Amino acid sequence: MSSGSAFNDEKGGSSSVAEPEYGHDPASGGIFSSDYKRHDDLKEMLDSNKDSLKLEAMKRIVAMIARGKNASDLFPAVVKNVACKNIEVKKLVYVYLVRYAEEQQDLALLSISTFQRGLKDPNQLIRASALRVLSSIRAASDMSPYVRKTAAHAIPKLYSLDPEQKDQLIEVIEKLLADKTTLVAGSVVMAFEEVCPERIDLIHKNYRKLCNLLIDVEEWGQVVIINMLTRYARTQFLNPNVNESLLEEGNTDGKTFYPSDDDEEEEEDEEKEKKVEALAKRKPYVMDPDHRLLLRNTKPLLQSRNAAVVMAVAQLYFHLAPKAEVGVIAKALVRLLRSHSEVQFVVLQNVATMTIKRRGMFEPYLKSFYIRSTDPTQIKILKLEVLTNLANETNISTILREFQTYIKSMDKDFVAATIQAIGRCATNIGEVRDTCLNGLVQLLSNRDELVVAESVVVIKKLLQMQPEKHSDIIKHMAKLIDNIQVPMARASILWLIGEYCEHVPKIAPDVLRKMAKSFTNEEDIVKLQILNLAAKLYLTNSKQTKLLTQYVLNLLIVPTEKSGALSKYAKKLFLALKPAPVLESPFKDRDHFQLGSLSHLLNAKAGGYQELPDWPESAPDPSVRNVEVPEWSKCSTREKRKEKKVEKPFYSDSEGESGPTESADSESVSGSGSDSGSGSEESGSGSESEESDEGSESDDEEDEEEEVPKHTKKKILEVKKPTISPSGSMKTFELLHRITGEGLSVEYCFSRQPFSPDANMVAVQIHFTNNSSSEVSSLHMEDAKLQSGMRVKEFPEIEALAAGETSTAVMGIDFCDSTQAANFQLCANSKKFFVSIQPPVGELMRPVFMTENEFKKEQGQLMGMNEITEKLTLDSKCRNEHAIVQRVTTAANLSRVPCGSNDECRFAARTVTLNSLVLVTVATKAEGAAQLTVNCDKMLIGTMLVKEILQALTQ
């Protein structure tokens, strides 16, 4: 008998050990149900001194959670066992806590010390489990790569819970990017993509390492890294096919609705000649060695067993490789089609896009895209798309024979798509146009109305290309008007007869006569074409059709005393020459989306999609990817060598699971890559070494400024003395330093004035100063990089700013009640500077005026979890009412609320975007003691506001 059975026998329980439903949610039955008693049994088992009973209870609880049952009421009993010495019990306890810790925050906080001790457990699984509960980032320094990997997974979770921690999280990401182990690489790149994909400067010094580690990274990590490196390469290397692109541009014939004049054609010829001359002068393209490194190290992954990895490499080659080398991906993609049926849809989506620009590489595999009767409809249609894109003068006869077989299918949607494919082949290849037309005409006698209707629509488009050669077909279609009942097909026939009524002068009036009789019973689309046919016949054959036209059009264009003006322009309205339609692939121009992405699949930008950058005009500085490896030979004394060993790991020496070598490697790499770029002062090149050189050279020019410690230079925004605030009390922040801006310095402040174009935006006042000796022109902003939901209203462009002059502009930003920075490029003199505007939480509010009673009522509704209270000691200069009010309103855009007590100051505001109410109370006591209370239904905003007001009152 098992221990679980013995326990049940002792307690008088009737359930056996094998019973699957041991614990239930009491709410699912009545309060007196037996299910509720079973929860009591589980609690008693968890309180037992026997590990076997605890383990049995935890297994059943985890099984309940897996089946979707609610086990939250067991939290107090479970959390007590987090200190259990039995490893199996402890692991299951952590699984439970990961599920319910957020729902039972108060109880979880009581055990936080136990979780922290778990981070030092010798077992790496326990350390990782404790990390998941705490979402602690300190494990980035753990000696075990498994725990560091879990730390990387925790970063996006932390960022989603508190976006204000982005700067600190970026520091952890930077440290983990320097990790040499393949186990960590994929996870940290995923965290990078979630938190700060715009910070490509973090990738510079790790680029070559990621390329070299890629072959050994786990498969899903390979997918993430390859996709990231694809976008990185598009920003750092030149287009290897730039000459081909210019030639294609020069040879494209743009077609407009109306034909071009001779002068315009001559201008186009001149432009083509200029492009050819430019190509002749262009220097031969030489591929960057780092570009070649990426292509060389990803190519072996085309043999991967994981379909996602193969697709990732395929899209990388399509977007980055020279035309002559792209063909290597065709064989791998065809292999996927044959061996991985579950990914056929995605593979064919990407192949359909590739075959538009790179048709030649898939031509040898034409038969691989033949359609089977067992294929789902969506797969059939995608294969049709590929076959149509691959059709040329050489293989068209083979493809058309395949299409003839497909038309006999019972799948009507597939048949309709096949007919459209035949039409596109006839459009693209003139030699088979007559053959395709005759085949489609034969389909007009098909019994299925949908087949006939689709054939009519396609025939109509084909006849528009050479109508004078196909009058017999038009006559044949006119005879079918009595039998075809599908509205679109009837409308197409009528339009065709009306458009080319001069080619069938005897049949067209008879068709109009028949349609006039059934006019009232026709669908709207058919009625419109009847009116169109009547108007055209009156203009070309008024003797036979005048009465019919009067009947149908009701004197719409017939000359009368009142309608003479309209008749003058009737021929231009109805008989204007119209261009032949262009039958194109729905996958044309879809390749601007990164292949394999959801946006490419939908042909629309999906949420969270990162744009595939354009190739740069000139190659960026390749030295940013050079990594200085510290060598022991550079240290001349033992003291210097000891200095490099000062940093200690997070855990004690007893936790040597991964060995000393791995730890030393990780530390050395992180040490070499610790000097990151400087947030808003980062230039377009992204080279930290250049920025540091510029800073050292500018020391002599800035003698009047105080020295700034290095750690403060990392801050994105630096507070300056107020200079441009209307009231003189607003803080001014630096946006662009005059050294970084090459003589242009920019500051900003939050003016706390309404931004009239949009009430949900915060008004930001920008102050420009030209410190250089030359004029600054075309000051504007572009390429805003915003978090989801944020919006920016750009300030008007400043055309010129003379030397020594200043100028002020106002822009609006909707921060969505978040202190997340708005990143954009500031452009001047054709140069671009990457800058950021990050608001203090106090500037995300607008004052609210309310009475004392209204304040008390609202405060009463925002108690408990919506209230934060802090005790503080007021600064010696801030112990009177006037000083408190001044400091609080300077820290946050709040309004004063009347108060009957002399010991309290009350303030109120609402957030700009979400209109969340914010209430602040400062209650003073004797000897400078005070209590700060903030009530807000958005706890994150309340927490940050408390910090800012505390700082204002205590300094």
Side-chain angles (χ1 to χ4, degrees):
M1 180 180 291
S2 69
S3 59
S5 299
F7 182 87
N8 286 330
D9 291 340
E10 292 175 8
K11 300 295 178 182
S14 59
S15 300
S16 65
V17 175
E19 183 180 357
E21 295 289 338
Y22 193 94
H24 288 273
D25 179 11
S28 62
I31 194 167
F32 301 109
S33 67
S34 59
D35 291 340
Y36 186 72
K37 293 182 179 180
R38 290 179 179 177
H39 278 275
D40 287 339
D41 290 341
L42 287 173
K43 293 175 183 177
E44 292 178 13
M45 292 174 71
L46 290 170
D47 290 336
S48 171
N49 293 326
K50 296 182 179 180
D51 288 343
S52 58
L53 293 178
K54 292 181 179 181
L55 181 61
E56 184 69 15
M58 287 307 306
K59 286 181 179 179
R60 294 176 179 175
I61 293 171
V62 172
M64 288 168 57
I65 296 173
R67 292 195 297 272
K69 304 293 184 181
N70 183 13
S72 60
D73 60 322
L74 291 168
F75 192 96
V78 173
V79 77
K80 288 188 295 186
N81 290 281
V82 73
C84 180
K85 295 182 180 180
N86 186 287
I87 297 297
E88 297 301 319
V89 173
K90 183 175 285 191
K91 286 195 293 186
L92 292 178
V93 168
Y94 277 124
V95 170
Y96 177 94
L97 293 177
V98 169
R99 169 64 180 82
Y100 286 110
E102 289 187 10
E103 297 180 13
Q104 304 280 352
Q105 293 183 10
D106 294 337
L107 289 173
L109 287 173
L110 295 176
S111 303
I112 193 168
S113 59
T114 307
F115 302 153
Q116 289 174 330
R117 287 197 298 271
L119 288 171
K120 297 184 179 181
D121 194 286
N123 189 311
Q124 64 176 6
L125 295 177
I126 296 302
R127 294 202 303 271
S129 298
L131 172 67
R132 291 190 181 99
V133 179
L134 287 170
S135 293
S136 172
I137 59 176
R138 293 183 295 169
S141 302
D142 191 276
M143 292 180 357
S144 168
Y146 180 77
V147 179
R148 298 199 299 272
K149 174 187 177 74
T150 310
H153 287 166
I155 292 174
K157 176 67 173 177
L158 280 170
Y159 179 66
S160 65
L161 293 175
D162 186 4
E164 307 309 320
Q165 300 297 323
K166 181 175 181 179
D167 292 343
Q168 290 84 347
L169 293 176
I170 289 176
E171 293 179 6
V172 181
I173 290 173
E174 183 177 11
K175 184 172 185 178
L176 289 173
L177 279 171
D179 199 302
K180 286 186 176 181
T181 57
T182 56
L183 190 63
V184 179
S187 302
V188 68
V189 171
M190 173 62 79
F192 169 84
E193 292 283 74
E194 292 282 340
V195 177
C196 54
E198 74 283 356
R199 289 291 304 274
I200 61 171
D201 57 294
L202 301 180
I203 304 299
H204 288 328
K205 52 184 171 289
N206 299 294
Y207 171 84
R208 293 168 186 165
K209 181 195 70 177
L210 288 173
C211 290
N212 292 321
L213 286 180
L214 192 57
I215 193 70
D216 297 316
V217 175
E218 51 92 20
E219 292 171 334
W220 295 111
Q222 289 173 341
V223 174
V224 174
I225 295 173
I226 291 171
N227 288 331
M228 183 274 292
L229 290 178
T230 301
R231 293 190 296 277
Y232 175 87
R234 287 288 288 254
T235 66
Q236 300 300 307
F237 308 129
L238 294 176
N239 183 359
N241 302 305
V242 62
N243 294 344
E244 176 199 353
S245 301
L246 286 175
L247 281 173
E248 288 178 353
E249 282 182 23
N251 293 330
T252 54
D253 297 325
K255 295 183 179 180
T256 57
F257 188 86
Y258 298 102
S260 303
D261 297 333
D262 294 338
D263 294 340
E264 293 177 352
E265 292 178 358
E266 290 178 4
E267 290 178 3
E268 290 178 2
D269 293 337
E270 290 177 2
E271 290 179 4
K272 292 177 183 177
E273 291 177 2
K274 290 180 180 178
K275 288 179 180 178
V276 173
E277 292 176 2
L279 282 174
K281 296 179 182 178
R282 184 181 291 273
K283 296 180 180 179
Y285 170 78
V286 179
M287 181 175 285
D288 189 293
D290 287 327
H291 192 170
R292 173 57 62 193
L293 174 69
L294 177 60
L295 295 175
R296 183 173 62 248
N297 285 16
T298 53
K299 185 176 179 180
L301 296 178
L302 288 171
Q303 306 300 321
S304 173
R305 294 174 296 178
N306 188 299
V309 175
V310 177
M311 279 303 309
V313 177
Q315 63 86 24
L316 181 142
Y317 262 75
F318 180 79
H319 291 303
L320 301 179
K323 182 180 179 181
E325 300 178 25
V326 180
V328 299
I329 67 177
K331 185 175 181 180
L333 292 175
V334 170
R335 177 175 58 84
L336 281 185
L337 283 176
R338 294 171 179 170
S339 59
H340 293 70
S341 58
E342 66 278 5
V343 298
Q344 277 190 337
F345 182 79
V346 177
V347 174
L348 288 170
Q349 282 267 348
N350 290 278
V351 170
T353 300
M354 294 178 184
T355 50
I356 293 176
K357 287 193 174 181
R358 298 284 184 264
R359 182 176 63 187
M361 66 183 189
F362 287 100
E363 284 182 4
Y365 307 99
L366 185 67
K367 292 185 179 180
S368 299
F369 303 103
Y370 283 179
I371 296 165
R372 302 174 181 176
S373 58
T374 56
D375 287 337
T377 301
Q378 67 269 26
I379 299 298
K380 292 178 180 177
I381 293 175
L382 282 174
K383 285 186 175 180
L384 264 181
E385 181 65 34
V386 174
L387 289 173
T388 306
N389 291 343
L390 294 178
N392 55 31
E393 294 80 2
T394 305
N395 59 27
I396 185 62
S397 57
T398 304
I399 291 177
L400 285 179
R401 281 197 297 271
E402 277 292 307
F403 287 174
Q404 289 175 358
T405 305
Y406 302 160
I407 290 174
K408 300 175 184 178
S409 171
M410 299 299 293
D411 186 342
K412 301 308 175 187
D413 292 334
F414 172 49
V415 173
T418 303
I419 295 171
Q420 294 175 9
I422 292 173
R424 278 180 50 201
C425 289
T427 302
N428 299 333
I429 306 171
E431 290 82 351
V432 297
R433 189 170 298 154
D434 292 343
T435 304
C436 292
L437 262 176
N438 292 330
L440 292 172
V441 170
Q442 294 176 10
L443 292 178
L444 296 178
S445 58
N446 193 290
R447 295 181 180 180
D448 190 274
E449 288 188 358
L450 290 176
V451 173
V452 175
E454 200 64 45
S455 301
V456 169
V457 174
V458 175
I459 290 172
K460 169 195 137 181
K461 295 177 180 178
L462 294 178
L463 289 182
Q464 285 182 256
M465 299 176 184
Q466 294 176 318
E468 66 281 353
K469 296 183 180 180
H470 303 291
S471 58
D472 291 340
I473 295 177
I474 297 174
K475 293 176 183 178
H476 180 71
M477 294 178 69
K479 295 177 183 178
L480 295 174
I481 197 70
D482 294 332
N483 300 324
I484 296 178
Q485 300 301 321
V486 178
M488 180 56 72
R490 291 171 68 81
S492 297
I493 293 174
L494 291 173
W495 184 91
L496 202 61
I497 295 172
E499 187 66 19
Y500 306 112
C501 55
E502 295 179 351
H503 297 285
V504 285
K506 296 181 179 179
I507 294 178
D510 190 51
V511 172
L512 178 60
R513 188 177 300 108
K514 292 180 180 179
M515 300 310 300
K517 293 180 181 179
S518 61
F519 183 83
T520 56
N521 298 324
E522 298 288 352
E523 296 289 336
D524 289 346
I525 190 173
V526 180
K527 288 179 179 178
L528 287 173
Q529 293 306 324
I530 295 173
L531 293 171
N532 183 55
L533 174 61
K536 292 178 178 179
L537 284 177
Y538 171 76
L539 296 171
T540 58
N541 187 3
S542 60
K543 291 182 180 180
Q544 289 185 314
T545 59
K546 182 176 181 179
L547 294 176
L548 280 172
T549 304
Q550 288 176 336
Y551 173 73
V552 175
L553 300 177
N554 195 18
L555 304 178
L556 178 62
I557 64 167
V558 178
T560 63
E561 295 179 359
K562 297 182 179 180
S563 63
L566 181 59
S567 64
K568 294 179 183 179
Y569 305 102
K571 288 190 177 181
K572 291 185 178 180
L573 286 172
F574 292 99
L575 301 180
L577 292 176
K578 303 173 186 65
V582 179
L583 300 177
E584 294 181 338
S585 168
F587 289 86
K588 184 180 180 182
D589 298 329
R590 193 183 286 200
D591 60 340
H592 65 280
F593 291 117
Q594 189 168 353
L595 295 188
S597 64
L598 180 61
S599 298
H600 174 263
L601 178 67
L602 302 175
N603 197 21
K605 188 175 179 179
Y609 173 72
Q610 298 176 33
E611 296 282 358
L612 187 66
D614 292 327
W615 294 101
E617 292 293 331
S618 57
D621 183 11
S623 66
V624 296
R625 290 180 290 278
N626 295 337
V627 181
E628 294 183 5
V629 181
E631 299 177 1
W632 289 111
S633 59
K634 293 181 180 179
C635 298
S636 58
T637 64
R638 289 186 178 181
E639 285 75 18
K640 291 183 179 179
R641 287 198 290 269
K642 288 179 180 179
E643 288 175 4
K644 291 196 173 185
K645 296 183 179 180
V646 169
E647 184 179 353
K648 294 181 179 180
F650 182 79
Y651 297 111
S652 63
D653 295 335
S654 61
E655 298 176 67
E657 282 183 25
S658 303
T661 305
E662 179 190 331
S663 178
D665 288 344
S666 299
E667 289 177 11
S668 63
V669 174
S670 63
S672 65
S674 62
D675 295 331
S676 63
S678 59
S680 64
E681 296 179 6
E682 178 181 346
S683 66
S685 67
S687 175
E688 294 82 8
S689 60
E690 291 179 2
E691 289 177 7
S692 62
D693 292 339
E694 290 175 5
S696 61
E697 292 173 4
S698 64
D699 289 343
D700 297 335
E701 301 176 11
E702 298 181 305
D703 292 337
E704 71 279 4
E705 295 185 9
E706 296 180 0
E707 270 192 21
V708 182
K710 288 184 178 180
H711 68 273
T712 60
K713 291 182 179 178
K714 290 184 179 179
K715 294 182 179 178
I716 293 179
L717 300 173
E718 183 178 345
V719 179
K720 298 290 184 181
K721 58 184 179 180
T723 59
I724 61 174
S725 172
S727 63
S729 63
M730 302 302 174
K731 291 183 179 180
T732 302
F733 303 90
E734 184 178 75
L735 188 63
L736 183 66
H737 193 271
R738 63 186 179 90
I739 301 300
T740 308
E742 300 180 8
L744 175 68
S745 62
V746 186
E747 295 178 328
Y748 70 93
C749 77
F750 298 90
S751 64
R752 296 188 177 178
Q753 300 297 321
F755 188 70
S756 54
D758 193 326
N760 288 335
M761 287 189 172
V762 175
V764 183
Q765 196 172 22
I766 315 292
H767 187 71
F768 303 92
T769 303
N770 184 1
N771 301 294
S772 66
S773 58
S774 59
E775 183 182 81
V776 175
S777 60
S778 185
L779 264 171
H780 65 283
M781 60 175 287
E782 61 182 38
D783 194 22
K785 302 291 185 182
L786 307 174
Q787 297 296 320
S788 177
M790 291 173 58
R791 297 177 295 121
V792 167
K793 177 67 175 178
E794 301 176 0
F795 61 82
E797 180 177 350
I798 300 175
E799 295 182 357
L801 187 63
E805 286 192 355
T806 61
S807 180
T808 302
V810 178
M811 64 183 294
I813 306 179
D814 180 1
F815 288 101
C816 285
D817 291 354
S818 166
T819 56
Q820 190 65 45
N823 304 307
F824 57 90
Q825 287 184 343
L826 189 63
C827 305
N829 293 339
S830 301
K831 295 184 179 180
K832 299 180 179 180
F833 306 98
F834 179 85
V835 295
S836 297
I837 293 180
Q838 185 171 21
V841 69
E843 303 299 338
L844 301 177
M845 305 168 186
R846 57 167 57 99
V848 172
F849 300 96
M850 59 174 57
T851 65
E852 183 176 7
N853 290 335
E854 290 172 341
F855 183 93
K856 291 180 178 179
K857 180 180 178 181
E858 295 290 350
Q859 191 179 43
Q861 295 176 358
L862 292 173
M863 303 292 283
M865 292 295 292
N866 295 321
E867 182 175 277
I868 304 171
T869 301
E870 290 286 345
K871 293 182 180 180
L872 67 151
T873 301
L874 295 172
D875 180 59
S876 58
K877 299 179 181 180
C878 183
R879 296 188 179 181
N880 59 73
E881 181 180 350
H882 175 75
I884 292 174
V885 172
Q886 185 179 21
R887 293 200 183 189
V888 171
T889 54
T890 300
N893 192 12
L894 303 164
S895 68
R896 182 79 185 276
V897 176
C899 180
S901 172
N902 295 328
D903 299 331
E904 280 191 5
C905 296
R906 297 172 179 170
F907 309 87
R910 286 190 181 274
T911 59
V912 173
T913 303
L914 301 178
N915 206 35
S916 298
L917 186 62
V918 180
L919 305 177
V920 177
T921 305
V922 179
T924 58
K925 300 178 182 180
E927 298 178 356
Q931 179 172 294
L932 171 64
T933 303
V934 174
N935 299 84
C936 180
D937 58 355
K938 300 296 181 183
M939 288 300 296
L940 184 58
I941 292 176
T943 303
M944 292 187 293
L945 184 61
V946 166
K947 293 179 181 178
E948 292 188 6
I949 296 177
L950 280 175
Q951 186 178 9
L953 293 175
T954 54
Q955 286 185 349

